[in-house]
Amino acid sequence: MYDKLDIFKATKAQMDWLAQRQEVLAENIANANTPRYLPKDLKPLSFKEVLSDSQTPTVTAVATNAAHIVPEMGIDPFKSVTQRKTYESTPDGNAVILEEQMAKVGEAGSSYNAAASLFQKYQKMILSALGQR
C-alpha cells in the first residue's frame, strides 16, 4: 500500500540512499591507512527521478559476433564515485580525512533518523484517517 504513495516512495528512497552512503563512508574510514586510497561518496539522490512515474525502456547490449565481449549493463542507482577534490593527503597518497568522514557519517545518521521519523508520522496519519490505531 505504501509503495504507491509518493511521500513513502521518496522517504524510502532517501533511507535506502542514506544506508548505502553509510556503507561507503564506513569503507572510507576502514581504509584510512591504505596507501593511495581515495575516499568515495555516493552521487546525490535526485528526488525528481524518484518521483517520476515514467518508466524508461530497458536497453541491453548484444554481442553480434562470437568474438565480441558482452558488456555488463547493470545500473546501480546509488553509484559510488571517487572524490576528486582532495586537499589533504598523507605521504603514502591516502586522502582520507577521518574528521571529514566522521562528520559525513553523523550527518547521514541524523538524516536517516529524520526520514524514519517522517515515515512513521505519515504512517500514523494515514492509519488515523482510516480509523485505525
Side-chain angles (χ1 to χ4, degrees), residues 53-110:
D53 291 331
S54 62
Q55 297 293 331
T56 56
T58 306
V59 178
T60 58
V62 178
T64 58
N65 186 324
H68 291 169
I69 298 173
V70 179
E72 293 183 25
M73 297 297 289
I75 298 174
D76 184 9
F78 306 130
K79 183 180 178 203
S80 175
V81 294
T82 303
Q83 296 175 355
R84 297 290 179 207
K85 297 179 183 177
T86 54
Y87 300 108
E88 296 180 25
S89 64
T90 59
D92 64 1
N94 185 304
V96 175
I97 303 168
L98 285 176
E99 293 82 7
E100 181 181 285
Q101 297 302 312
M102 292 304 292
K104 288 180 180 182
V105 166
E107 176 188 327
S110 297

